[in-house]
Amino acid sequence: MERITADICVVGAGSGGLSVAAGASQMGAQVVLLEGGEMGGDCLNYGCVPSKALIAAGKHAHAMRSGRSFGVTPVDPEIDYAAAKDHVRGAIDTIAPHDSQERFEGFGVRVLRDFGRFLSPTEMQAGDTVITARRFVIATGSRPFVPPIEGLADTPFWTNETIFDLRERPDHLVIVGGGPIGLEMAQAHMRLGCRVTVIEAMAALGKDDPEMAAIVLERLRAEGVEIRERTLVERVGIDGDGIVIDTTGGTIRGSHLLVAAGRTPNVETLALDRAGIAHDRRGITVDDGLRTTNRKVYAIGDVAGQMQFTHVAGYHAGVIARSILFGLPARASQGHIPWATYTDPELAQIGLTESEARKTHGDRLEVIRFPFADSDRAITEGLTAGLIKVMVHRGRPVGVSIAGAQAGELIGTWALIMANGLKMKALANTVLPYPTLGEINKRAAGAYFSPRLFDSPMVKKVVGFVQRHIP
């Protein structure tokens, strides 16, 4: 049994863990990194990267079918599903060296390819190695939640961890779960020639503003995705060469089943109790500084039971670096964190939704709306299905909801504004190139100031006075 000591032991080589390991090592700390699975974690291997690559393949197929309004004769594309998966694999392989063991060993990180479990509050074992560290960072992420549906354990099914290995195109893909993962995969597979049915126990995209979600759901349904909301799955089973799903809304038969019913934190193998670390079904309990009930241990990313996004894990890494490396106070917050769903049209959010903002600010809230249909660039591109809503309190945005083309890109402007406490004036004063979709953000800011300028008796009185009396 080998025994080593380190300043920091990082458990998990996903986005958050890699950020901590690279930064700490390059700034002079002795770092050990444990990873029993794939370097790069869920995002690189099973999540963000492969899903966006498959979505891109679907977009190319959809473009061939939808050019009539531009004078391009639509054709039914010949789709090689296995080749689309080759594109997915190529994207992963291209990015993988950035997250590789060799790269991090080049930074001076000691990388152990095994799962870690605590032996005590200050010791962890990984394979045949025991690590004693001054600080531990748990960044083990999450995995697909498999609901306790009758018959599921005996029925072949896919999750986001396995679906990208599927090489034969499903004839009829049935998806359990109408959240971002389920609907992104639904539209991508529909565009790649599959029949798709989505079953959602509550409302599809239920965590987003319902008005904005409706824009996305309308498009998916128009493309042929069947979405059954408020429908419970009672049991599943095998029916010949396919599957059968009994629901509260009737029986559905399909060729393949994808379970996208949420995520669950990866904590089972850590032996957290030995280290005095509190946790529950949502993940590890942390304070505002992302410290656990063991003051020597931090938890970041999905496993910390907060917002489950790759960019949040990276943000968490920066927060705890201040505390661990420099001994400075640091607190994580969520109000300035954006997120996006990469359907077509996209859906993005930062801060409060309209309903949340009205509850918080009441009559002092102003809601600014600007439709994509009034954007010159959106008109030229045929991308007029969309809307931006900006919730403003005392001149500052407290929440922004966008449904429309490139919403994930457009939300970045608002992330900059809200992270730095800027007012709507900052965007109104910004000059943007014409015509761009980015002008939608500026037009929304302009819509906030327009009534203050054009409907104000005082402004009209001042302008009138100037025109009459000042040469």
Side-chain angles (χ1 to χ4, degrees):
M1 184 74 69
E2 181 184 8
R3 291 184 174 273
I4 58 177
T5 60
D7 295 317
I8 304 170
C9 177
V10 180
V11 190
S15 172
L18 291 178
S19 295
V20 173
S25 181
Q26 291 179 90
M27 284 188 278
Q30 292 181 312
V31 181
V32 176
L33 174 64
L34 312 181
E35 177 53 70
E38 298 288 340
M39 295 289 290
D42 185 87
C43 180
L44 172 63
N45 298 286
Y46 319 116
C48 313
V49 171
S51 65
K52 304 316 166 274
L54 193 68
I55 288 170
K59 283 184 177 179
H60 282 278
H62 180 68
M64 296 181 69
R65 302 187 186 101
S66 55
R68 187 174 300 282
S69 63
F70 297 94
V72 180
T73 301
V75 296
D76 194 20
E78 294 184 9
I79 296 171
D80 185 335
Y81 186 77
K85 289 300 180 69
D86 289 340
H87 167 66
V88 171
R89 174 46 57 184
I92 295 172
D93 290 345
T94 300
I95 298 171
H98 185 269
D99 295 346
S100 68
Q101 178 174 340
E102 292 76 15
R103 180 168 182 261
F104 281 79
E105 287 176 338
F107 293 145
V109 177
R110 173 76 181 272
V111 181
L112 301 178
R113 300 302 297 274
D114 215 326
F115 295 102
R117 66 181 187 278
F118 281 101
L119 300 177
S120 72
T122 59
E123 291 179 307
M124 176 169 273
Q125 182 173 349
D128 295 330
T129 304
V130 174
I131 305 100
T132 302
R134 295 182 62 252
R135 297 287 185 270
F136 291 86
V137 178
I138 303 174
T140 50
S142 64
R143 66 185 184 279
F145 170 69
V146 179
I149 299 172
E150 181 181 342
L152 185 59
D154 300 317
T155 303
F157 67 91
W158 304 83
T159 69
N160 75 289
E161 291 187 346
T162 57
I163 190 68
F164 300 108
D165 293 328
L166 178 62
R167 303 284 295 178
E168 296 181 2
R169 184 174 66 189
D171 177 56
H172 182 189
L173 179 65
V174 180
I175 301 175
V176 176
I181 295 174
L183 292 183
E184 286 180 0
M185 290 297 94
Q187 188 176 43
H189 281 84
M190 189 78 202
R191 290 179 166 187
L192 291 172
C194 306
R195 180 185 172 192
V196 179
T197 300
V198 177
I199 307 169
E200 169 55 48
M202 304 295 285
L205 296 174
K207 293 183 178 180
D208 286 279
D209 182 304
E211 182 181 14
M212 316 305 276
I215 296 172
V216 175
L217 297 176
E218 181 180 3
R219 171 69 65 81
L220 265 65
R221 287 185 166 114
E223 292 186 14
V225 178
E226 181 183 6
I227 303 173
R228 300 193 182 188
E229 299 179 271
R230 295 174 178 82
T231 301
L232 297 175
V233 177
E234 297 179 325
R235 66 188 63 84
V236 300
I238 302 172
D239 180 25
D241 293 332
I243 57 171
V244 58
I245 303 100
D246 293 326
T247 77
T248 53
T251 298
I252 302 170
R253 299 178 185 277
S255 62
H256 294 71
L257 176 64
L258 171 63
V259 176
R263 311 282 297 175
T264 190
N266 292 323
V267 298
E268 288 78 9
T269 62
L270 293 169
L272 296 174
D273 292 340
R274 294 182 183 176
I277 299 172
H279 60 97
D280 57 26
R281 62 180 182 81
R282 295 171 297 179
I284 295 173
T285 303
V286 295
D287 62 16
D288 289 343
L290 301 170
R291 258 181 171 158
T292 72
T293 48
N294 179 338
R295 302 296 292 173
K296 294 182 177 294
V297 181
Y298 296 76
I300 63 174
D302 288 11
V303 77
Q306 300 182 15
M307 302 170 77
Q308 295 183 331
F309 303 107
T310 296
H311 51 283
V312 172
Y315 163 65
H316 283 175
V319 171
I320 68 167
R322 293 185 61 190
S323 177
I324 294 177
L325 299 177
F326 301 106
L328 298 173
R331 300 175 64 182
S333 59
Q334 298 188 22
H336 66 298
I337 303 293
W339 69 87
T341 299
Y342 298 94
T343 47
D344 179 13
E346 294 179 357
L347 182 62
Q349 176 71 41
I350 185 171
L352 304 176
T353 63
E354 180 179 357
S355 62
E356 292 169 342
R358 290 194 184 281
K359 290 179 182 177
T360 302
H361 299 291
D363 294 338
R364 296 169 297 171
L365 181 77
E366 295 181 66
V367 179
I368 309 303
R369 304 163 65 89
F370 185 82
F372 275 54
D374 288 344
S375 160
D376 292 357
R377 182 59 182 271
I379 291 170
T380 66
E381 298 278 351
L383 301 173
T384 54
L387 174 69
I388 180 172
K389 289 199 298 187
V390 185
M391 280 55 73
V392 185
H393 177 246
R394 295 182 176 177
R396 285 187 169 85
V398 295
V400 181
S401 306
I402 309 176
Q406 297 185 32
E409 307 294 334
L410 293 172
I411 204 71
T413 297
W414 298 101
L416 173 66
I417 290 172
M418 292 179 64
N420 291 281
L422 303 179
K423 291 188 173 184
M424 296 291 284
K425 182 175 66 173
L427 184 53
N429 289 341
T430 302
V431 179
L432 299 175
Y434 172 89
T436 58
L437 289 178
E439 288 184 295
I440 291 171
N441 289 329
K442 181 176 172 64
R443 293 286 297 275
Y448 172 73
F449 287 106
S450 290
R452 289 164 167 79
L453 292 174
F454 304 138
D455 299 334
S456 169
M458 179 58 68
V459 170
K460 292 180 179 180
K461 182 181 292 188
V462 171
V463 171
F465 176 84
V466 170
Q467 300 310 306
R468 291 191 302 271
H469 298 289
I470 299 181

